[in-house]
Amino acid sequence: MHDLTSDDCVTIYGTKLQSRLLIGSALYPSPHIMKEAILESKAQIVTLSLSRQNPKTNGASGGQDFWQLIQSLGLHLLPNTAGCHTVNDAVNMAKMSRELFQTDWIKLELVGDDYNLQPDPIALVKATELLIKDGFKVLPYCTDDLVIARHLVDLGCEVLMPWGSPIGTGKGILNPYALQAIRDRFPDTTIIVDSGIGKPSHATQAMEMGVDAILLNTAVAHANHPVLMAQAFTKAIEAGRDAYLAGTMTERSTASPSTPTIDSPFWHQNP
Amino acid sequence: MSKSNQIQIAINATPFQVAKESTVEQALTEFKAKPPYAVLLNGQFLSNSLYSKTYLVNGDQLEVISAIQGG
């Protein structure tokens, strides 16, 4: 049944992955639920971040329980630069992440406005340039602005992570036209919708548009049943991908009967 | 007031005293930092290969950073 898609992988800087769901590690009700939700999502990439270590307030482990749990999952790690407002902060956080997590992947986040956590496009481009020169494989969290996307691709980004809507809002794809434009203009770039997905149907919509993957966190972690929601998103993303590969019908403005009408008992009968 | 043989630094924005001519590595040990971690010195990344070679001076600010949940 899945012959068409069995070899269908998403590529992250040369690494081919079967799962098109990337999952975050924050906001879950408990570490146990986090682990179960991540496993049930079948994600192969998990995101994480950095924070000050305080042996006095992080308990006897110094906050290392989380790190051990994440390591036990055996997934690819994608550290982010969440909370950074300047190029210098983001670059330094990326360097710390590379040393700590032993990966040159960095999900580059640069906040430009605290109201909607909208990425600062100018700082994002500057930081991307510096990090790529330093050997990083940058996955920039960006808006759906086509021209900023162009600058990022021109700098060498093989992956773009445009928002669907602001982080944590769950509003879905607010500007399908803009997202479709990015997809269509960069057919060789891996496009991952990074934020704003609230429901499995949002994820399906994005996948039907041809984006390569979805990154989820709040939508799963803040569900009443995160593990069940992780399963739902996995199915939704697979459905959207299959639909994209299958090719959806052309939308029409007028009705067209699906049942043949010629020679029906009432053919040509006046109303 | 700091003792004459000590200097005042900050670790994770909290005042911290270490002996003069302490290295970053020594300060991290006294802070009881739990590996794995990464370090900023005065806002700039400091590679772990430099911990034992970098001497602290009065007013230095260290940040000891480790993994947390993230989206």
Side-chain angles (χ1 to χ4, degrees):
Chain A
M1 180 177 177
H2 274 262
D3 287 343
L4 190 63
T5 60
S6 59
D7 296 326
D8 183 42
C9 294
V10 60
T11 303
I12 310 290
Y13 283 99
T15 299
K16 293 187 180 301
L17 302 169
Q18 291 284 337
S19 173
R20 292 177 179 274
L21 192 164
L22 292 75
I23 196 159
S25 57
L27 304 174
Y28 295 88
S30 72
H32 174 72
I33 292 174
M34 179 194 80
K35 181 177 181 179
E36 289 302 307
I38 291 173
L39 290 175
E40 285 299 323
S41 75
K42 299 177 183 172
Q44 293 171 280
I45 295 177
V46 62
T47 60
L48 70 174
S49 194
L50 293 175
S51 180
R52 284 175 174 162
Q53 182 183 113
N54 188 336
K56 291 178 181 173
T57 58
N58 294 150
S61 71
Q64 302 305 292
D65 293 345
F66 166 74
W67 174 233
Q68 291 168 5
L69 194 160
I70 286 293
Q71 280 188 302
S72 74
L73 298 174
L75 304 178
H76 294 277
L77 303 180
L78 177 57
N80 68 32
T81 62
C84 288
H85 288 72
T86 69
V87 172
N88 184 64
D89 288 353
V91 168
N92 277 292
M93 195 154 171
K95 289 178 178 177
M96 288 191 290
S97 293
R98 180 166 61 182
E99 183 180 271
L100 196 54
F101 302 127
Q102 298 293 299
T103 178
D104 49 14
W105 289 359
I106 189 72
K107 181 189 164 199
L108 183 59
E109 298 185 37
L110 261 158
V111 177
D113 187 280
D114 286 326
Y115 175 71
N116 60 1
L117 300 177
Q118 183 164 335
D120 179 336
I122 297 168
L124 185 68
V125 169
K126 289 179 180 173
T128 296
E129 184 173 16
L130 292 172
L131 290 170
I132 286 178
K133 283 180 180 173
D134 197 15
F136 282 91
K137 292 169 179 169
V138 178
L139 293 83
Y141 170 56
C142 54
T143 64
D144 49 22
D145 186 292
L146 181 64
V147 178
I148 292 299
R150 166 64 66 195
H151 284 296
L152 294 167
V153 170
D154 287 347
L155 286 171
C157 289
E158 296 180 15
V159 179
L160 295 176
M161 303 185 83
W163 69 0
S165 47
I167 296 170
T169 60
K171 290 181 177 294
I173 310 299
L174 285 182
N175 192 339
Y177 173 83
L179 187 63
Q180 189 71 64
I182 288 177
R183 169 68 292 168
D184 294 345
R185 292 291 286 161
F186 306 107
D188 300 324
T189 302
T190 298
I191 307 294
I192 302 171
V193 174
D194 184 2
S195 67
I197 299 295
K199 305 172 186 174
S201 56
H202 296 156
T204 304
Q205 178 195 5
M207 294 303 296
E208 287 172 351
M209 293 167 68
V211 307
D212 296 287
I214 306 287
L215 194 153
L216 297 166
N217 196 154
T218 312
V220 173
H222 277 186
N224 290 336
H225 300 282
V227 177
L228 184 59
M229 188 58 83
Q231 295 171 340
F233 267 108
T234 302
K235 295 172 189 170
I237 289 169
E238 289 177 358
R241 179 63 183 176
D242 284 355
Y244 171 72
L245 293 175
T248 54
M249 63 164 279
T250 302
E251 189 175 321
R252 289 186 284 240
S253 297
T254 55
S256 177
S258 52
T259 302
T261 53
I262 296 174
D263 291 334
S264 75
F266 310 107
W267 180 243
H268 286 164
Q269 180 176 310
N270 292 326
Chain B
M1 292 291 289
S2 300
K3 296 174 185 175
S4 59
N5 62 339
Q6 291 197 309
I7 56 171
Q8 182 84 38
I9 65 169
I11 300 184
N12 292 348
T14 300
F16 201 81
Q17 288 193 338
V18 293
K20 278 183 178 176
E21 299 184 357
S22 289
T23 63
V24 169
E25 185 175 56
Q26 289 168 323
L28 292 169
T29 300
E30 292 184 31
F31 181 68
K32 297 183 170 58
K34 297 197 180 299
Y37 50 75
V39 164
L40 288 177
L41 176 58
N42 298 325
Q44 300 299 312
F45 167 69
L46 185 71
S47 167
N48 56 15
S49 63
L50 298 175
Y51 294 170
S52 62
K53 303 171 187 170
T54 303
Y55 292 87
L56 293 164
V57 297
N58 212 38
D60 273 345
Q61 298 185 39
L62 275 181
E63 301 281 353
V64 184
I65 307 294
S66 54
I68 61 159
Q69 300 88 338

Tab-separated table of all heavy atoms in Angstrom, chain A residues 77-115:
chain	number	residue	atom	x	y	z
A	77	LEU	N	19.756	15.040	18.003
A	77	LEU	CA	19.483	16.220	18.824
A	77	LEU	C	19.538	17.477	17.964
A	77	LEU	O	20.455	17.642	17.163
A	77	LEU	CB	20.507	16.333	19.957
A	77	LEU	CG	20.609	15.138	20.894
A	77	LEU	CD1	21.666	15.401	21.965
A	77	LEU	CD2	19.263	14.809	21.532
A	78	LEU	N	18.546	18.318	18.162
A	78	LEU	CA	18.537	19.604	17.476
A	78	LEU	C	18.432	20.708	18.527
A	78	LEU	O	17.331	21.055	18.966
A	78	LEU	CB	17.361	19.687	16.490
A	78	LEU	CG	17.196	21.015	15.746
A	78	LEU	CD1	18.462	21.378	14.974
A	78	LEU	CD2	15.997	20.957	14.810
A	79	PRO	N	19.569	21.244	18.944
A	79	PRO	CA	19.528	22.333	19.929
A	79	PRO	C	19.040	23.629	19.304
A	79	PRO	O	19.291	23.889	18.125
A	79	PRO	CB	20.990	22.452	20.383
A	79	PRO	CG	21.796	21.861	19.292
A	79	PRO	CD	20.948	20.841	18.598
A	80	ASN	N	18.361	24.425	20.132
A	80	ASN	CA	17.890	25.719	19.631
A	80	ASN	C	18.592	26.866	20.358
A	80	ASN	O	19.323	26.660	21.331
A	80	ASN	CB	16.366	25.834	19.747
A	80	ASN	CG	15.883	25.912	21.186
A	80	ASN	OD1	16.562	26.453	22.051
A	80	ASN	ND2	14.691	25.391	21.455
A	81	THR	N	18.345	28.055	19.835
A	81	THR	CA	18.891	29.259	20.481
A	81	THR	C	17.744	30.099	21.040
A	81	THR	O	17.768	31.333	20.964
A	81	THR	CB	19.744	30.089	19.514
A	81	THR	OG1	18.918	30.523	18.425
A	81	THR	CG2	20.917	29.289	18.971
A	82	ALA	N	16.739	29.437	21.566
A	82	ALA	CA	15.554	30.135	22.069
A	82	ALA	C	15.949	31.207	23.084
A	82	ALA	O	16.829	31.003	23.912
A	82	ALA	CB	14.599	29.142	22.697
A	83	GLY	N	15.262	32.330	22.995
A	83	GLY	CA	15.482	33.410	23.952
A	83	GLY	C	16.552	34.391	23.558
A	83	GLY	O	16.728	35.415	24.228
A	84	CYS	N	17.282	34.097	22.491
A	84	CYS	CA	18.340	35.021	22.074
A	84	CYS	C	17.739	36.199	21.300
A	84	CYS	O	16.903	36.017	20.419
A	84	CYS	CB	19.363	34.298	21.197
A	84	CYS	SG	20.397	33.145	22.119
A	85	HIS	N	18.220	37.400	21.646
A	85	HIS	CA	17.732	38.606	20.992
A	85	HIS	C	18.806	39.279	20.137
A	85	HIS	O	18.511	40.222	19.413
A	85	HIS	CB	17.233	39.624	22.030
A	85	HIS	CG	15.938	39.234	22.674
A	85	HIS	ND1	15.830	38.207	23.585
A	85	HIS	CD2	14.686	39.749	22.536
A	85	HIS	CE1	14.568	38.108	23.977
A	85	HIS	NE2	13.855	39.024	23.367
A	86	THR	N	20.050	38.850	20.282
A	86	THR	CA	21.126	39.486	19.515
A	86	THR	C	21.928	38.425	18.762
A	86	THR	O	21.943	37.243	19.136
A	86	THR	CB	22.100	40.255	20.425
A	86	THR	OG1	22.847	39.303	21.210
A	86	THR	CG2	21.362	41.205	21.355
A	87	VAL	N	22.599	38.902	17.728
A	87	VAL	CA	23.448	38.006	16.942
A	87	VAL	C	24.519	37.377	17.827
A	87	VAL	O	24.773	36.166	17.774
A	87	VAL	CB	24.086	38.774	15.769
A	87	VAL	CG1	25.119	37.911	15.055
A	87	VAL	CG2	23.011	39.255	14.794
A	88	ASN	N	25.144	38.211	18.666
A	88	ASN	CA	26.215	37.708	19.528
A	88	ASN	C	25.708	36.616	20.473
A	88	ASN	O	26.369	35.583	20.651
A	88	ASN	CB	26.816	38.864	20.333
A	88	ASN	CG	28.002	38.429	21.167
A	88	ASN	OD1	29.028	38.020	20.632
A	88	ASN	ND2	27.859	38.486	22.490
A	89	ASP	N	24.558	36.835	21.076
A	89	ASP	CA	24.004	35.817	21.978
A	89	ASP	C	23.734	34.511	21.233
A	89	ASP	O	24.042	33.421	21.726
A	89	ASP	CB	22.707	36.324	22.619
A	89	ASP	CG	22.952	37.410	23.652
A	89	ASP	OD1	24.129	37.678	23.965
A	89	ASP	OD2	21.961	38.000	24.126
A	90	ALA	N	23.142	34.636	20.066
A	90	ALA	CA	22.785	33.428	19.315
A	90	ALA	C	24.024	32.661	18.877
A	90	ALA	O	24.059	31.422	18.940
A	90	ALA	CB	21.936	33.812	18.101
A	91	VAL	N	25.033	33.383	18.430
A	91	VAL	CA	26.263	32.718	17.989
A	91	VAL	C	26.940	32.010	19.168
A	91	VAL	O	27.385	30.855	19.054
A	91	VAL	CB	27.215	33.741	17.330
A	91	VAL	CG1	28.610	33.138	17.147
A	91	VAL	CG2	26.645	34.202	15.997
A	92	ASN	N	26.985	32.678	20.312
A	92	ASN	CA	27.605	32.044	21.477
A	92	ASN	C	26.801	30.838	21.965
A	92	ASN	O	27.370	29.825	22.377
A	92	ASN	CB	27.776	33.065	22.592
A	92	ASN	CG	29.038	33.892	22.413
A	92	ASN	OD1	30.138	33.387	22.525
A	92	ASN	ND2	28.873	35.164	22.082
A	93	MET	N	25.490	30.964	21.909
A	93	MET	CA	24.671	29.822	22.330
A	93	MET	C	24.851	28.646	21.379
A	93	MET	O	24.894	27.488	21.799
A	93	MET	CB	23.197	30.234	22.393
A	93	MET	CG	22.330	29.261	23.160
A	93	MET	SD	20.909	30.111	23.834
A	93	MET	CE	19.940	28.742	24.433
A	94	ALA	N	24.969	28.945	20.106
A	94	ALA	CA	25.206	27.880	19.129
A	94	ALA	C	26.531	27.179	19.405
A	94	ALA	O	26.628	25.948	19.334
A	94	ALA	CB	25.187	28.456	17.722
A	95	LYS	N	27.545	27.944	19.734
A	95	LYS	CA	28.858	27.342	20.003
A	95	LYS	C	28.811	26.471	21.262
A	95	LYS	O	29.420	25.395	21.308
A	95	LYS	CB	29.916	28.436	20.157
A	95	LYS	CG	30.244	29.127	18.835
A	95	LYS	CD	31.263	30.256	19.042
A	95	LYS	CE	31.626	30.916	17.725
A	95	LYS	NZ	32.558	32.061	17.913
A	96	MET	N	28.091	26.934	22.284
A	96	MET	CA	27.952	26.107	23.489
A	96	MET	C	27.197	24.812	23.167
A	96	MET	O	27.562	23.731	23.629
A	96	MET	CB	27.220	26.885	24.582
A	96	MET	CG	28.051	27.993	25.188
A	96	MET	SD	27.293	28.690	26.669
A	96	MET	CE	25.897	29.558	25.954
A	97	SER	N	26.165	24.948	22.348
A	97	SER	CA	25.376	23.772	21.984
A	97	SER	C	26.216	22.749	21.224
A	97	SER	O	26.120	21.547	21.458
A	97	SER	CB	24.177	24.188	21.127
A	97	SER	OG	23.262	24.945	21.873
A	98	ARG	N	27.027	23.258	20.330
A	98	ARG	CA	27.859	22.338	19.534
A	98	ARG	C	28.809	21.555	20.427
A	98	ARG	O	28.997	20.349	20.246
A	98	ARG	CB	28.642	23.124	18.482
A	98	ARG	CG	29.524	22.250	17.607
A	98	ARG	CD	30.028	22.971	16.377
A	98	ARG	NE	30.838	24.140	16.681
A	98	ARG	CZ	31.361	24.950	15.761
A	98	ARG	NH1	31.131	24.727	14.474
A	98	ARG	NH2	32.082	25.995	16.109
A	99	GLU	N	29.390	22.234	21.385
A	99	GLU	CA	30.317	21.542	22.286
A	99	GLU	C	29.584	20.562	23.187
A	99	GLU	O	30.032	19.439	23.403
A	99	GLU	CB	31.072	22.555	23.133
A	99	GLU	CG	32.102	21.921	24.051
A	99	GLU	CD	32.833	22.977	24.867
A	99	GLU	OE1	33.860	23.473	24.382
A	99	GLU	OE2	32.373	23.292	25.989
A	100	LEU	N	28.443	21.005	23.705
A	100	LEU	CA	27.727	20.189	24.683
A	100	LEU	C	27.040	18.989	24.042
A	100	LEU	O	27.088	17.868	24.572
A	100	LEU	CB	26.692	21.065	25.398
A	100	LEU	CG	26.088	20.562	26.686
A	100	LEU	CD1	27.151	20.184	27.700
A	100	LEU	CD2	25.165	21.627	27.269
A	101	PHE	N	26.402	19.218	22.901
A	101	PHE	CA	25.593	18.157	22.299
A	101	PHE	C	26.304	17.433	21.158
A	101	PHE	O	25.736	16.519	20.562
A	101	PHE	CB	24.275	18.748	21.787
A	101	PHE	CG	23.468	19.429	22.856
A	101	PHE	CD1	23.031	20.728	22.698
A	101	PHE	CD2	23.152	18.769	24.032
A	101	PHE	CE1	22.280	21.359	23.682
A	101	PHE	CE2	22.411	19.383	25.022
A	101	PHE	CZ	21.973	20.689	24.854
A	102	GLN	N	27.514	17.868	20.859
A	102	GLN	CA	28.303	17.207	19.821
A	102	GLN	C	27.571	17.134	18.491
A	102	GLN	O	27.528	16.092	17.831
A	102	GLN	CB	28.711	15.800	20.291
A	102	GLN	CG	29.587	15.795	21.531
A	102	GLN	CD	30.967	16.407	21.265
A	102	GLN	OE1	31.714	15.895	20.440
A	102	GLN	NE2	31.279	17.489	21.932
A	103	THR	N	26.953	18.233	18.126
A	103	THR	CA	26.302	18.318	16.819
A	103	THR	C	26.522	19.701	16.245
A	103	THR	O	26.578	20.691	16.993
A	103	THR	CB	24.788	18.048	16.916
A	103	THR	OG1	24.214	18.197	15.604
A	103	THR	CG2	24.078	18.995	17.881
A	104	ASP	N	26.659	19.757	14.921
A	104	ASP	CA	26.784	21.063	14.288
A	104	ASP	C	25.442	21.559	13.755
A	104	ASP	O	25.386	22.600	13.105
A	104	ASP	CB	27.854	21.063	13.187
A	104	ASP	CG	27.711	19.913	12.224
A	104	ASP	OD1	26.646	19.259	12.234
A	104	ASP	OD2	28.659	19.661	11.456
A	105	TRP	N	24.380	20.813	14.038
A	105	TRP	CA	23.045	21.312	13.715
A	105	TRP	C	22.662	22.370	14.745
A	105	TRP	O	22.873	22.189	15.950
A	105	TRP	CB	22.002	20.197	13.785
A	105	TRP	CG	22.074	19.177	12.706
A	105	TRP	CD1	22.949	19.135	11.661
A	105	TRP	CD2	21.229	18.032	12.566
A	105	TRP	NE1	22.693	18.031	10.891
A	105	TRP	CE2	21.654	17.339	11.418
A	105	TRP	CE3	20.161	17.523	13.296
A	105	TRP	CZ2	21.030	16.168	10.983
A	105	TRP	CZ3	19.553	16.364	12.873
A	105	TRP	CH2	19.983	15.694	11.726
A	106	ILE	N	22.064	23.445	14.289
A	106	ILE	CA	21.541	24.439	15.229
A	106	ILE	C	20.237	25.007	14.682
A	106	ILE	O	20.171	25.447	13.532
A	106	ILE	CB	22.569	25.563	15.513
A	106	ILE	CG1	22.088	26.452	16.666
A	106	ILE	CG2	22.878	26.388	14.279
A	106	ILE	CD1	22.150	25.816	18.026
A	107	LYS	N	19.211	24.936	15.506
A	107	LYS	CA	17.941	25.582	15.162
A	107	LYS	C	18.058	27.027	15.624
A	107	LYS	O	17.981	27.323	16.815
A	107	LYS	CB	16.769	24.876	15.851
A	107	LYS	CG	15.430	25.476	15.508
A	107	LYS	CD	14.335	24.881	16.379
A	107	LYS	CE	13.106	25.768	16.302
A	107	LYS	NZ	12.202	25.518	17.434
A	108	LEU	N	18.297	27.891	14.659
A	108	LEU	CA	18.632	29.271	14.973
A	108	LEU	C	17.373	30.101	15.189
A	108	LEU	O	16.592	30.322	14.258
A	108	LEU	CB	19.475	29.856	13.843
A	108	LEU	CG	19.989	31.285	14.047
A	108	LEU	CD1	20.847	31.398	15.287
A	108	LEU	CD2	20.750	31.750	12.811
A	109	GLU	N	17.201	30.543	16.417
A	109	GLU	CA	16.069	31.396	16.776
A	109	GLU	C	16.612	32.735	17.258
A	109	GLU	O	17.476	32.777	18.126
A	109	GLU	CB	15.235	30.778	17.899
A	109	GLU	CG	14.595	29.454	17.545
A	109	GLU	CD	13.690	28.958	18.667
A	109	GLU	OE1	13.007	29.782	19.311
A	109	GLU	OE2	13.665	27.743	18.915
A	110	LEU	N	16.097	33.796	16.707
A	110	LEU	CA	16.469	35.149	17.135
A	110	LEU	C	15.197	35.968	17.269
A	110	LEU	O	14.564	36.317	16.274
A	110	LEU	CB	17.408	35.776	16.111
A	110	LEU	CG	18.888	35.706	16.491
A	110	LEU	CD1	19.774	35.821	15.280
A	110	LEU	CD2	19.232	36.790	17.494
A	111	VAL	N	14.835	36.256	18.482
A	111	VAL	CA	13.573	36.943	18.742
A	111	VAL	C	13.685	38.420	18.358
A	111	VAL	O	14.614	39.118	18.773
A	111	VAL	CB	13.191	36.826	20.229
A	111	VAL	CG1	11.901	37.600	20.504
A	111	VAL	CG2	13.038	35.365	20.631
A	112	GLY	N	12.720	38.867	17.555
A	112	GLY	CA	12.697	40.272	17.161
A	112	GLY	C	11.623	41.072	17.864
A	112	GLY	O	11.663	42.303	17.890
A	113	ASP	N	10.658	40.362	18.417
A	113	ASP	CA	9.566	41.046	19.112
A	113	ASP	C	9.009	40.101	20.166
A	113	ASP	O	8.648	38.958	19.861
A	113	ASP	CB	8.466	41.433	18.120
A	113	ASP	CG	7.400	42.303	18.772
A	113	ASP	OD1	6.525	41.749	19.466
A	113	ASP	OD2	7.456	43.530	18.602
A	114	ASP	N	8.943	40.601	21.397
A	114	ASP	CA	8.513	39.719	22.487
A	114	ASP	C	7.012	39.463	22.491
A	114	ASP	O	6.547	38.543	23.156
A	114	ASP	CB	8.936	40.330	23.832
A	114	ASP	CG	10.432	40.187	24.066
A	114	ASP	OD1	10.998	39.172	23.626
A	114	ASP	OD2	11.030	41.090	24.669
A	115	TYR	N	6.255	40.271	21.747
A	115	TYR	CA	4.801	40.092	21.746
A	115	TYR	C	4.422	38.796	21.040
A	115	TYR	O	3.626	38.005	21.535
A	115	TYR	CB	4.129	41.288	21.069
A	115	TYR	CG	2.643	41.143	20.923
A	115	TYR	CD1	1.804	41.216	22.028
A	115	TYR	CD2	2.058	40.926	19.668
A	115	TYR	CE1	0.436	41.086	21.897
A	115	TYR	CE2	0.693	40.800	19.522
A	115	TYR	CZ	-0.116	40.875	20.644
A	115	TYR	OH	-1.468	40.736	20.500
